[in-house]
Amino acid sequence: MLKPRALSDVLSQANTGGIGSTLLLNSEGSLLAFSGFGDKDASAAGAIASNIWTSFQKSGQLSLDDSKLDCVLVECKLGKIAITKVANLLLCLCSSENVSFGMLKTKITAMSTYLEEPLSQIASS
Amino acid sequence: MGCCFSSEEDKDQDVPHANERTPLLDPSQADHIHQIQGGRASRNSISQNQKGDEQSEFTRILRQTAINVIDVTSSDSQNMEQGEMQDRATQYSNRLNMVLSASGRSRVFQPNLPTGITSPQMTLTAPPVSLSDVQLISSFSEKCSNAACEIKIQHKESLVVTFGVP
Amino acid sequence: MTEDLKSYLNKQMATVDNLHAIAITDRDGVVIIKVANQMAPDTALRQAFLSVFGIMTEQASKMGMGNNSKIINFYDRFQTVQINAHPLLLHFIADRDANTGLILELEHALADVLQDISKVVTMIAQVRRQADADLFPGDNTINHCIRSRFIY
């Protein structure tokens, strides 16, 4: 079993320097864990993020020589989002528009490396 | 809360917050003004304007709804028919030729100068960047890249609790 | 004329190491112009693949963060940088380890090109809208709304 408090503590470590929230979603896009400032509608954004991931994953498999999707970076007018897969879940970092892509990607990679082992342990049990 | 007149006990009433009600009212304000002016002019124009208003309101609501709908199933069904696509591609290539020759950009496209360079001759005649500056930049970029590698999660406690299964 | 444009795009493509293809399409992913070297997978320059970004940029605009401008995907061997330059979509396909920042900078180098091409798209969209209006004269509202996502 996952310790909810420890998990949200880990997720909150990313929320510095302009990153507003960190989300953990299941493959259908439902919110499993959330840590962040403000309570903007994270569940809707999460559902869309998961749909974006699934669509690009499928199209990459079909059209980019069976490539596996590692990381998606989305830039909108008022913010940026990074999405990656950890075990069978999706990790999603939402930030303000002035955070650079490089920092966003570095942080999400660090987070997914850390979570990979415990989350796959849960997934397989 | 759902009623327009329940605002007496609504403590948010002074805050012009944007909720689902605001966009419904705002854009139609112009129409209302129009309607009032029309009413002064003649009675006929009122009913005409009202009809026009209804129609435009209907169009607006329909369009807004179409915009707001998040259609997550559409990604597979959106593929166009081959024929239509070919048609459009041919149309584009024909028009592209037309526009390119008409735009007077018959000259070869030129890449823009990097931003911040107004007079190239000044930049080109300036003395080259000193070696120490180059070293400074490369040492800083190396430090940055090292720092980026150091970014990791601080481990505090184990995330997984295992039950005491024998 | 188109050849000049292609050679310009090729030149721009060569300025970034391991960038394999540049494509400019309309919102439905129909290719208006594209250049590619032999490293780019053929299937990645077809409408089926390019149209996905058109739909996803629309969806990403509904996340409550304003309009979507870019989506960058890292696959295990490739990366795609896709930019929403209304009314056009700009697609770059590169190796995974290509410099993403340099690719993003190319958008500025292509500003003139995009301006010219967006004229083409607007013109044809107008023609098509006119044709629709002639086809269904009485039913403008609904017709317009239903078709609007395909036209714009």
Side-chain angles (χ1 to χ4, degrees):
Chain A
M1 204 187 112
L2 273 175
K3 284 191 222 168
R5 253 189 61 196
L7 178 62
S8 71
D9 183 67
V10 167
L11 294 184
S12 71
Q13 285 190 36
N15 298 337
T16 54
I19 294 183
S21 52
T22 306
L23 287 70
L24 206 54
L25 312 157
N26 72 5
S27 49
E28 279 95 48
S30 323
L31 203 55
L32 289 185
F34 171 86
S35 163
F37 319 112
D39 49 0
K40 272 203 285 180
D41 194 1
S43 56
I48 297 177
S50 127
N51 191 47
I52 290 176
W53 176 273
T54 320
S55 302
F56 280 120
Q57 190 189 34
K58 261 194 228 159
S59 71
Q61 237 167 25
L62 285 174
S63 306
L64 276 177
D65 294 353
D66 203 15
S67 281
K68 199 177 119 288
L69 189 56
D70 278 341
C71 178
V72 175
L73 302 173
V74 180
E75 180 178 320
C76 293
K77 204 170 170 223
L78 304 172
K80 291 195 179 90
I81 292 176
I83 314 165
T84 193
K85 199 173 176 88
V86 188
N88 56 345
L89 304 175
L90 284 184
L91 178 68
C92 190
L93 253 64
C94 305
S95 77
S96 66
E97 69 275 19
N98 45 26
V99 174
S100 57
F101 276 131
M103 192 45 101
L104 204 56
K105 188 157 183 283
T106 314
K107 278 191 175 178
I108 201 167
T109 315
M111 181 72 77
S112 73
T113 319
Y114 183 82
L115 290 175
E116 182 68 40
E117 199 229 311
L119 290 184
S120 9
Q121 210 176 324
I122 294 291
S124 60
S125 64
Chain B
M1 290 293 273
C3 169
C4 291
F5 292 100
S6 69
S7 53
E8 261 176 32
E9 62 262 45
D10 192 350
K11 36 185 198 292
D12 292 333
Q13 64 167 332
D14 291 334
V15 189
H17 60 296
N19 60 15
E20 66 273 19
R21 267 169 278 159
T22 33
L24 277 177
L25 295 174
D26 273 343
S28 62
Q29 261 175 2
D31 289 342
H32 283 306
I33 294 163
H34 193 62
Q35 207 178 327
I36 291 161
Q37 285 169 342
R40 280 177 191 156
S42 78
R43 286 208 163 268
N44 283 348
S45 63
I46 292 180
S47 61
Q48 221 166 29
N49 269 342
Q50 265 174 346
K51 252 188 200 164
D53 273 358
E54 266 173 38
Q55 188 64 33
S56 68
E57 190 71 356
F58 172 62
T59 315
R60 200 185 55 74
I61 292 173
L62 202 58
R63 192 174 305 166
Q64 197 57 44
T65 314
I67 290 169
N68 286 344
V69 167
I70 303 171
D71 187 0
V72 291
T73 57
S74 61
S75 46
D76 292 331
S77 55
Q78 283 283 304
N79 281 337
M80 295 164 75
E81 280 178 34
Q82 198 66 30
E84 193 190 342
M85 207 190 78
Q86 287 293 347
D87 266 11
R88 220 194 276 187
T90 341
Q91 250 177 334
Y92 282 142
S93 72
N94 291 344
R95 280 296 167 112
L96 186 62
N97 260 321
M98 247 173 67
V99 167
L100 287 182
S101 42
S103 78
R105 244 193 266 269
S106 47
R107 59 176 178 80
V108 179
F109 282 95
Q110 299 287 335
N112 295 335
L113 287 172
T115 41
I117 297 180
T118 41
S119 56
Q121 66 275 22
M122 293 287 279
T123 316
L124 289 171
T125 51
V129 181
S130 72
L131 193 63
S132 64
D133 283 354
V134 176
Q135 274 165 351
L136 181 77
I137 293 295
S138 38
S139 90
F140 268 114
S141 56
E142 203 171 307
K143 277 181 191 164
C144 284
S145 114
N146 286 342
C149 295
E150 298 279 306
I151 293 178
K152 51 175 92 118
I153 303 294
Q154 211 179 352
H155 182 77
K156 285 178 187 158
E157 53 177 320
S158 169
L159 285 182
V160 185
V161 197
T162 40
F163 293 114
V165 187
Chain C
M1 282 299 140
T2 322
E3 288 313 309
D4 287 348
L5 183 55
K6 275 196 177 172
S7 77
Y8 176 70
L9 288 179
N10 266 318
K11 244 185 247 169
Q12 290 298 320
M13 190 167 87
T15 61
V16 181
D17 283 348
N18 292 324
L19 174 61
H20 301 317
I22 302 178
I24 300 175
T25 68
D26 70 357
R27 303 206 73 71
D28 297 317
V30 179
V31 174
I32 300 168
I33 194 161
K34 66 179 175 193
V35 290
N37 63 22
Q38 68 284 1
M39 296 290 286
D42 195 32
T43 41
L45 292 162
R46 300 215 182 119
Q47 194 253 350
F49 179 74
L50 300 175
S51 67
V52 176
F53 175 60
I55 302 160
M56 288 307 133
T57 187
E58 228 174 78
Q59 280 189 17
S61 300
K62 294 172 182 171
M63 294 213 274
M65 291 190 161
N67 282 339
N68 176 248
S69 53
K70 296 177 187 102
I71 297 183
I72 304 170
N73 292 324
F74 293 92
Y75 293 90
D76 50 3
R77 282 163 45 213
F78 296 100
Q79 64 172 301
T80 61
V81 176
Q82 298 176 297
I83 299 176
N84 182 349
H86 187 82
L88 303 171
L89 304 179
L90 187 54
H91 312 255
F92 298 96
I93 294 158
D95 258 10
R96 193 205 153 93
D97 56 2
N99 189 322
T100 314
L102 289 180
I103 298 176
L104 288 170
E105 275 302 307
L106 282 185
E107 187 192 356
H108 303 296
L110 298 179
D112 279 356
V113 178
L114 292 175
Q115 210 184 356
D116 274 3
I117 299 180
S118 63
K119 278 185 217 152
V120 176
V121 175
T122 338
M123 252 199 274
I124 289 182
Q126 263 167 7
V127 172
R128 211 172 309 131
R129 222 172 310 162
Q130 189 56 48
D132 280 348
D134 292 346
L135 220 63
F136 308 100
D139 202 13
N140 262 338
T141 321
I142 296 171
N143 191 34
H144 177 77
C145 283
I146 293 171
R147 295 197 57 100
S148 60
R149 60 175 308 164
F150 299 106
I151 293 171
Y152 301 125

